[in-house]
Amino acid sequence: MENLAVPFDKRVWQEARTLRTAGYDVNVICPRSKEHPQTYETLDGVHIFRYASPFEAAGTAGYLLEYPMALAAQLRLALKVHRAGRIDVIQACNPPDLLYLVASPFRRLTGTRFIFDHHDASPELVVAKGHAGGSVLVRVVEMFERWTFAAATVSIATNESYRRIAIERGGMCPDDVFVVRSAPTVQRFDAARSDPALRRGKRHLVAYVGVMGVQEGIDYLLDAAKILVGRRGRDDVQFSLAGSGPDFPRLVARARALGLEENVTFLGRISDEDLASLLSTADVCVNPDEANEMNNISTMNKILEYMALGKAMVQFDLAEGRVSAGEASLYARPNDAESLADCIAELLDDPARRERMGEIGRSRFTGHLSWEHSVPALLGAYERALGRTAVPVAAHDGGD
């Protein structure tokens, strides 16, 4: 993987640990990070090789430097793993849709199988970041997506929308596409304890957990906070936002410009323990992801984390958001900060409804959306890739 370190990326770390438990010898190649600076370590029996990632590109010119450097480092480490023993499967997690290039020499020379773990719909992601549909960059990204699917023995999709992309746009056989949803384990937040200090003296706490980027829609959440605090006088609400990303400095500055310093706190990237405390303490959780085609077809990890802790939530009305949350969420009008503020206020003022919605979310999570329900699909994908007898398995999509 290229865009995050392990074990910080919870999906990839759960996949690695699941495969190790099933008897596979697992090696992960990923970038280093401030939190994980080691070039090599073994955790839970998984070998983790990390390479230096000099910077996170913010534009096309930067990617032209970042990606070749990353691919070269990944190939070097993959050859190091190969020298220690045969590689049967290489799994690549996008973005970008270029990592099949690392697998190519192994596929051609040693028969290594290639599994594509489809995290992001890259053409839609590029458009969501401000590039025009049909532009040269989007067409190039579409080309790399096609080549990635063409190279894959098996593809892993995060939901049914992504499975359709693999089949219809990627030309893959339906039997070679497995749905492995991203979600916490049932036990991940068992030790979670609320912390009243997180309310910062306010009656209510509204929480957000996730990436701080353009398409995450945090500007809408700040606008909703301004409506509630500034226009409606709801000084009893504390907004706490956990996470980091390319837009973090801009969003902190914008909150300050809106005069929200007393009611909005940016926590940055926090530990699992602190995340559990934040969500346990929150009255309402928010997923303000912008309504666009990318977010409409994507399943957001934060939704499942909110549900795991039995929290009512508010989000814009997006297709896969409804598939996951169902009646555990209120749905604001797409990209409408006023509607987002209305929904937040509605739940803050109705604790009984919050409790009912939280119970619905927790039941949906434990019933068919937790990581445990995706394990058979992941193992089935590997059995299929290795040519063993395997019945294609799709994790339950959460629909009614």
Side-chain angles (χ1 to χ4, degrees):
M1 58 187 307
E2 193 275 338
N3 66 328
L4 285 175
V6 169
F8 178 75
D9 187 300
K10 294 299 183 291
R11 174 184 173 85
V12 175
W13 183 231
Q14 287 179 161
E15 289 174 335
R17 294 180 67 195
T18 297
L19 292 165
R20 184 70 186 91
T21 299
Y24 290 88
D25 180 21
V26 182
N27 302 268
V28 176
I29 295 173
C30 65
R32 291 163 57 186
S33 68
K34 182 175 65 176
E35 295 84 2
H36 303 286
Q38 303 91 338
T39 56
Y40 171 80
E41 65 176 327
T42 302
L43 296 175
D44 293 349
V46 176
H47 306 281
I48 305 175
F49 298 84
R50 302 191 185 95
Y51 59 89
S53 183
F55 62 92
E56 181 179 1
T60 304
Y63 295 137
L64 291 175
L65 180 61
E66 175 189 348
Y67 291 159
M69 294 176 66
L71 292 173
Q74 290 175 4
L75 181 58
R76 173 179 58 83
L77 291 173
L79 288 169
K80 182 176 182 178
V81 173
H82 175 67
R83 286 195 293 270
R86 172 185 169 83
I87 298 175
D88 296 294
V89 177
I90 290 180
Q91 173 180 326
C93 313
N94 79 329
D97 290 346
L98 294 171
L99 306 191
Y100 75 94
L101 292 170
V102 178
S104 290
F106 299 94
R107 289 174 51 238
R108 297 178 186 280
L109 298 177
T110 67
T112 297
R113 278 73 164 186
F114 175 55
I115 293 180
F116 176 40
D117 192 358
H118 191 193
H119 289 192
D120 288 319
S122 294
E124 286 83 356
L125 178 60
V126 171
V127 172
K129 289 186 174 183
H131 296 274
S135 64
V136 172
L137 179 60
V138 172
R139 291 201 301 272
V140 168
V141 170
E142 289 172 342
M143 177 182 66
F144 282 123
E145 181 189 72
R146 287 194 302 273
W147 289 351
T148 297
F149 281 121
T153 310
V154 163
S155 179
I156 296 173
T158 56
N159 58 38
E160 291 293 340
S161 294
Y162 276 43
R163 185 171 189 269
R164 285 193 294 273
I165 289 175
I167 296 168
E168 297 171 5
R169 205 157 76 195
M172 295 201 71
C173 170
D175 287 350
D176 294 332
V177 186
F178 292 70
V179 175
V180 178
R181 296 181 67 90
S182 296
T185 62
V186 170
Q187 296 83 13
R188 179 179 166 192
F189 295 120
D190 280 353
R193 297 290 182 271
S194 62
D195 181 0
L198 292 171
R199 297 180 181 275
R200 298 178 182 266
K202 307 295 194 300
R203 180 182 177 187
H204 299 296
L205 175 63
V206 175
Y208 166 86
V209 174
V211 176
M212 303 281 177
V214 174
Q215 68 270 18
E216 276 71 32
I218 301 170
D219 283 296
Y220 295 113
L221 181 55
L222 293 180
D223 289 339
K226 181 64 176 178
I227 290 167
L228 289 172
V229 175
R231 193 195 308 167
R232 303 183 187 178
R234 293 295 301 260
D235 199 42
D236 60 341
V237 185
Q238 168 68 28
F239 294 81
S240 289
L241 286 61
S244 187
D247 261 25
F248 185 88
R250 181 188 68 79
L251 291 166
V252 172
R254 184 160 189 264
R256 188 181 305 114
L258 290 171
L260 293 171
E261 301 99 312
E262 296 299 316
N263 295 83
V264 175
T265 301
F266 288 86
L267 303 175
R269 189 175 289 180
I270 59 178
S271 68
D272 273 3
E273 182 180 357
D274 289 340
L275 169 64
S277 292
L278 174 64
L279 297 184
S280 293
T281 309
D283 298 296
V284 173
C285 293
V286 183
N287 171 35
D289 284 311
E290 181 180 66
N292 56 44
E293 186 53 32
M294 168 67 186
N295 291 337
N296 193 54
I297 62 175
S298 300
T299 299
M300 307 304 173
N301 290 343
K302 52 184 165 284
I303 295 178
L304 280 301
E305 290 173 337
Y306 299 161
M307 294 167 68
L309 280 158
K311 295 297 174 177
M313 73 187 85
V314 174
Q315 57 184 314
F316 292 129
D317 196 356
L318 300 173
E320 285 294 339
R322 276 192 179 271
V323 168
S324 295
E327 294 181 0
S329 177
L330 291 186
Y331 300 93
R333 291 187 298 274
N335 302 340
D336 186 332
E338 190 87 36
S339 180
L340 190 66
D342 290 340
C343 290
I344 293 171
E346 186 176 336
L347 285 182
L348 290 178
D349 295 334
D350 194 342
R353 187 177 186 187
R354 291 201 309 266
E355 184 173 356
R356 288 195 303 273
M357 291 170 64
E359 290 172 354
I360 290 171
R362 175 67 181 174
S363 177
R364 290 173 67 85
F365 171 75
T366 57
H368 52 255
L369 295 175
S370 69
W371 174 251
E372 288 82 355
H373 295 279
S374 285
V375 167
L378 175 65
L379 298 181
Y382 269 75
E383 291 290 309
R384 180 78 175 178
L386 290 167
R388 301 169 185 161
T389 302
V391 177
V393 180
H396 195 293
D397 68 1
D400 296 322

